[in-house]
């Protein structure tokens, strides 16, 4: 027996189907609402609106649960690798040995970008933000793969597009970094794995070949796994929205990068470090910043705190915090911002303002401290987030594109503007 919700509008009863997820999430299906009642729903910022059903990622914000295709994030961080998680998110299952080898080979095969693209980087000023470069370059990749821009792709064309993006976005990110520090571009080495190659392209110079040690490689793997997906967040919803017009995947990912850039989203990891450094430079008095964050007349927010979904500790922040201690100890780094972050967290979590609003550290609160320890510059932090999130964006685009009966995303609105009025010629408008 189908479960329904009863709605009465102007004395007339309506039954709306109830949708229940595999984790007992419940939704009222309003797809027929406008046709049947003439009414729409109104939910600015979509806090109560499901845009789709999905089988990719499950979050329980109250319990602090995050699972990719049913696997818990902590277990994946401990036992898996970022490349394996890419396969899991995009194809739905952990790969067999043969599937994984084929996937890695295909990604490795696309580790170069067209030589013409190198000149694009030179046209940017050295201070250009790497997120601006990355979004432009990802969209520009489409110029060199016209055969992958068709609105109706075959499965093989989709796979080709996916593996090229997974491989080349990493190269574009490394080249954006090299441009920002005025160093020569470094090419991928076929004998290195995905992330080791990224670090190689970032930090090898004509004077020294960068060899990441095992602790650094594991820390980066964990950071990328943690960032890999997060269901219908702002940037993933942007990728779905752009992809729903049948724009190509390069364009959709480029749009997702732009959405992620915002300081209320992925850009927060850069803002957190800038905030921690400001507190450090001001003598370490983080209590003043807690008061600023609580002051309604002050636009300042405690960056790295709060979340639309997590009303408990973000499980990703917990994992990153643990790795912060490990990586800094291993590298012998004493970073004052880590102690300030821990003090800030302790002060906020015992403050009624944060407790009442269930504001906890989120994924961005500690991530920048590890990136700094890995010598990643602050303006590259959100690029790192984008590289981690890429498989999630791709998985959601693929899930949407392959959905039978998929339609273009087109929300409605409630119009609150002027009603019908006649045009007034300039001479009759009077002066204001
Ligand atoms: C990410 O969606 C995802 O899944 C995102 C993400 C992912 O993996 O994709 O998890 C990644 O984007 C993490 C969030 C990174 N952003 C930040 O750390 C920026 C600081 N955080 C806030 O801007 C805010 O918490 C958001 C944007 C994260 C969430 O905003 P919401 O859900 O719209 O919450 P809200 O603005 O309605 O806040 C509710 C209340 C308000 O106070 P009142 O009006 O009730 O008095 O809490 C206050 C807010 O002023 N508040 C904060 C605060 N966050 C919310 N007050 C001070 N400092 C903060 N950080």
């Amino acid at each position: 027996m189908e479960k329904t919700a009863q709605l009465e509008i102007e004395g007339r009863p309506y039954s709306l189907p109830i949708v229940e997820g595999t984790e007992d999430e419940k939704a009222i299906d309003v797809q027929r609402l406008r046709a049947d009642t003439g009414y729409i729903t109104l939910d600015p910022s979509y806090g109560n609106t499901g845009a789709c059903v999905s089988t990719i990622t499950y979050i329980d914000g109250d319990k602090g649960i995050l699972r990719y295709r049913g696997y818990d994030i902590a277990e994946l961080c401990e036992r898996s690798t970022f490349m394996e998680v890419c396969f899991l998110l995009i194809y739905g299952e952990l790969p067999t040995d043969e599937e994984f080898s084929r996937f890695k080979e295909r990604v490795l095969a696309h580790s170069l970008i067209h030589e013409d693209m190198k000149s694009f980087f030179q046209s940017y000023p050295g201070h250009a933000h790497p997120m601006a470069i990355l979004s432009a370059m990802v969209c520009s990749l489409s110029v060199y793969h016209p055969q992958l821009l068709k609105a109706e792709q075959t499965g093989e064309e989709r796979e080709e597009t996916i593996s090229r993006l997974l491989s080349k976005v990493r190269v574009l990110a490394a080249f954006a970094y090299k441009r920002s520090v005025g160093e020569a571009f470094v090419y991928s080495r076929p004998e290195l794995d995905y992330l080791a190659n990224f670090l190689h392209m970032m930090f090898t110079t004509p004077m020294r070949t960068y060899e990441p040690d095992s602790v650094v490689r594991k820390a980066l793997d964990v950071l990328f796994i943690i960032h890999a997906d997060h269901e219908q967040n702002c940037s993933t919803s942007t990728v779905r929205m752009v992809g729903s017009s049948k724009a190509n995947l390069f364009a959709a990912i480029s749009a997702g990068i732009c959405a992620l850039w915002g300081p209320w989203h992925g850009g927060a990891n850069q803002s957190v470090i800038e905030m921690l450094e400001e507190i450090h430079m001001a003598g370490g008095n983080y209590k003043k910043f807690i008061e600023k964050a609580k002051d309604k007349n002050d636009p300042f927010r405690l960056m790295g705190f709060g979340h639309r979904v997590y009303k408990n500790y973000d499980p990703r922040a917990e994992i990153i915090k643990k790795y912060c201690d490990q990586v800094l100890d291993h590298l012998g780094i004493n970073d004052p911002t880590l102690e300030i972050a821990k003090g800030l967290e302790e002060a906020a979590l015992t403050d009624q303002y944060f407790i009442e609003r269930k504001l906890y550290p989120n994924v961005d609160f500690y991530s920048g401290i590890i990136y700094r320890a890995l010598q990643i510059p602050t303006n590259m932090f959100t690029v790192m987030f984008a590289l981690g999130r890429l498989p999630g964006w791709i998985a959601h685009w693929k899930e949407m594109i392959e959905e039978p009966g998929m339609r273009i995303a087109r929300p409605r609105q409630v119009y609150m503007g002027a009603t019908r009025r006649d045009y007034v010629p300039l001479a009759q408008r009077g002066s204001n």
Side-chain angles (χ1 to χ4, degrees), residues 168-190:
K168 295 176 190 294
V169 175
R170 177 190 44 155
V171 180
L172 296 172
F175 282 18
Y177 166 71
K178 285 298 195 187
R179 173 69 191 97
S180 72
V181 294
E183 288 179 6
F185 296 147
V186 171
Y187 290 86
S188 171
R189 281 165 45 191

Side-chain angles (χ1 to χ4, degrees), residues 232-244:
Q232 305 308 317
N233 58 84
C234 177
S235 55
T236 301
S237 298
T238 301
V239 170
R240 279 180 171 259
M241 176 74 81
V242 171
S244 77

